[in-house]
Amino acid sequence: MRRARALAAMTAAVSVLVAPGTARAEGASDQSSSGYNTGHGVGAEASQVTRSPGAGGGSSSSGRSGPAIDYQARYQSLVGAMAGEQLRETDRRATEAARYHALRGQSAECSSLAAHYRSIAYRRVLVVERVPETRTVTVYEHIPFYETVHIPVTVYEHIPIVEHYSVWVRHGWRWVLQRRTRISWSVRAVTTYRTERRLSWRVEARTVTFTVWHTVERWETRLVNPVALAVATVYANCASHYAALADAHEGQVAARRATWNVAWSGLNREAHEAWRAFNTSCTTGARQGDFATQVCSFGEWRGFAPGSFSRTIRVVAPRPSTQLIQQARDEVGPPPPVIRMNPRVEWEQIVRLPTWMWLEGGAWAVQTARADAGEAWAEARAVPARVTWDMGNGESVTCRDPGSSFDESRPGRSQTTDCSYTYRQSSAGQPADAYTVTATVFYDVTWTGSGGAGGDLGTLTTSSSARVRVAELQALNV
């Protein structure tokens, strides 16, 4: 009954304080009431009429539609309602905490008795038993066997060689051709094989399985008192019952507190917004082109951190003159590009070997410059568009990006580039035996200015040069 009366009183206080017909200030539709920590929960009348902190003026209706609101009186009413509700909530939470602790204590007492009777119902017993274990062993056996061996035998033979030849023999005054025979001997080795049987041994593995018995001792918990077990079960059910009651009570308390927190947050936010309405000071800063910024700030209040919010006011600014635009363009000074190559610039390039080219430094970056003259201003913006490489031999290469840098710690075949050049002749005979390589970066320049003006300012260039030696490698094919 006390809780119902307290909630009814809080609801009545909120409904009376936030009366129907209370309208927000004109232009405050973009300010969320939940964003009070970021400075978007204050009515727009704080920005329409500049006030100092604590200056009051809550009854002013400047910049608002509908009846005027006395924010100071509203704030005092809300603070009184919050104080009374805070006292009632403290009493409610003390009662809920006592109930919860009583239920938890009863559950703990039942759990302790259940554990006591469970220890009486069971007893530990030492059990001894024999457990078989099967083992497998590998045995190696030597087994005899006969094998057939072929032994080579060499026999030497004498083979006759008969040669016939003719000679001239003189008989008196005549020469007669006579046939004669000559015999020689040669030796030939003839190999045959003799077969024998020899005794040998081989090793074979055999698996032997046998069983070994072990004696094992273990402790078992056995029931020795069924009556004590029944009593322990009754006390365990008692502990579960009181634990469920405590959990249900905790859930009901959490739901009630969540509902109360929502109502309390709404009441607290309304009081904070009423306080901020007459404790916010706003100042208007200098114009910046077509706009000016108005900054409002407020202090700390009851858990709400200090903060501020700002709004932009549109003002009419004059169009910048031609001299102001030209001044902004002249102040855009991109740095000269830093030339990098692979092989390096200080090394020699090789004929018919592609040369990687890229830029380093801040040359390939958007450059801006601004010129002001009173309320008029102009800003020039230079965007890099392309780079042209004059290779010093009458040829040039145009790249649409600064190029890919070469990583000397990685293999060359795993890297690619869209900006390279291949020399076909060495630099021998050139001044200082080197080509003069020039990199020129082209920027597209545009401008914007006060009054919403803007346009194109053409092209801007910056360049750098480097002397590059190109060598020709000679190879001899054999």
Side-chain angles (χ1 to χ4, degrees), residues 108-132:
E109 184 178 356
C110 290
S111 297
S112 177
L113 291 173
H116 171 69
Y117 282 101
R118 191 178 294 109
S119 64
I120 297 175
Y122 292 95
R123 180 179 300 173
R124 296 185 65 202
V125 180
L126 180 63
V127 179
V128 181
E129 63 179 1
R130 289 172 57 81
V131 179

Side-chain angles (χ1 to χ4, degrees), residues 87-379:
L87 292 176
R88 290 188 290 272
E89 178 64 15
T90 301
D91 295 338
R92 284 193 294 266
R93 295 196 177 190
T95 303
E96 292 168 350
R99 172 65 176 167
Y100 176 79
H101 289 302
L103 293 174
R104 284 298 180 187
Q106 192 67 29
S107 176
E109 184 178 356
C110 290
S111 297
S112 177
L113 291 173
H116 171 69
Y117 282 101
R118 191 178 294 109
S119 64
I120 297 175
Y122 292 95
R123 180 179 300 173
R124 296 185 65 202
V125 180
L126 180 63
V127 179
V128 181
E129 63 179 1
R130 289 172 57 81
V131 179
E133 178 187 0
T134 302
R135 295 181 180 179
T136 302
V137 180
T138 302
V139 179
Y140 296 91
E141 295 183 354
H142 290 72
I143 301 176
F145 69 95
Y146 285 94
E147 63 178 351
T148 302
V149 180
H150 300 282
I151 302 174
V153 178
T154 303
V155 178
Y156 296 93
E157 298 179 353
H158 288 76
I159 301 175
I161 300 175
V162 180
E163 297 180 356
H164 298 280
Y165 62 95
S166 299
V167 297
W168 292 93
V169 180
R170 184 176 181 180
H171 292 279
W173 55 273
R174 278 189 319 155
W175 291 86
V176 179
L177 185 63
Q178 294 183 357
R179 185 180 182 183
R180 295 184 181 181
T181 301
R182 181 170 56 193
I183 299 175
S184 59
W185 300 87
S186 66
V187 180
R188 183 180 65 179
V190 180
T191 303
T192 60
Y193 292 90
R194 182 177 73 247
T195 303
E196 293 183 359
R197 296 188 65 195
R198 294 182 179 178
L199 179 63
S200 298
W201 298 83
R202 69 174 181 269
V203 179
E204 291 186 358
R206 184 168 59 88
T207 302
V208 178
T209 303
F210 59 95
T211 302
V212 179
W213 291 85
H214 299 279
T215 301
V216 179
E217 297 181 353
R218 71 175 186 275
W219 288 91
E220 290 186 355
T221 302
R222 296 183 178 179
L223 178 64
V224 296
N225 192 342
V227 177
L229 179 61
V231 175
T233 303
V234 172
Y235 278 113
N237 294 335
C238 170
S240 300
H241 173 70
Y242 281 105
L245 290 179
D247 292 339
H249 176 72
E250 187 177 13
Q252 294 172 1
V253 170
R256 188 202 64 78
R257 290 185 181 181
T259 303
W260 184 87
N261 287 335
V262 172
W264 175 264
S265 298
L267 192 63
N268 194 25
R269 185 178 298 107
E270 290 293 335
H272 175 236
E273 292 180 357
W275 177 84
R276 279 181 51 181
F278 61 88
N279 283 279
T280 301
S281 60
C282 300
T283 57
T284 302
R287 294 183 178 180
Q288 298 179 357
D290 294 342
F291 301 93
T293 302
Q294 188 180 53
V295 179
C296 300
S297 61
F298 53 91
E300 181 180 1
W301 181 88
R302 291 180 181 259
F304 290 87
S308 61
F309 62 94
S310 61
R311 63 178 64 227
T312 302
I313 303 174
R314 187 175 182 85
V315 295
V316 179
R319 181 184 177 89
S321 62
T322 304
Q323 292 79 7
L324 193 63
I325 298 173
Q326 186 62 36
Q327 178 184 350
R329 186 187 187 280
D330 295 340
E331 291 180 0
V332 176
V338 179
I339 297 177
R340 292 288 184 264
M341 291 183 176
N342 182 62
R344 298 182 182 180
V345 176
E346 58 268 19
W347 297 350
E348 290 184 342
Q349 309 298 313
I350 306 301
V351 172
R352 299 187 182 278
L353 178 67
T355 298
W356 284 42
M357 302 176 296
W358 70 92
L359 300 179
E360 288 187 355
W364 198 272
V366 178
Q367 309 291 332
T368 59
R370 181 186 176 99
D372 295 275
E375 296 182 356
W377 59 272
E379 182 176 276

Side-chain angles (χ1 to χ4, degrees), residues 387-398:
V387 54
T388 299
W389 296 82
D390 184 356
M391 307 311 299
N393 57 355
E395 297 184 0
S396 62
V397 177
T398 299

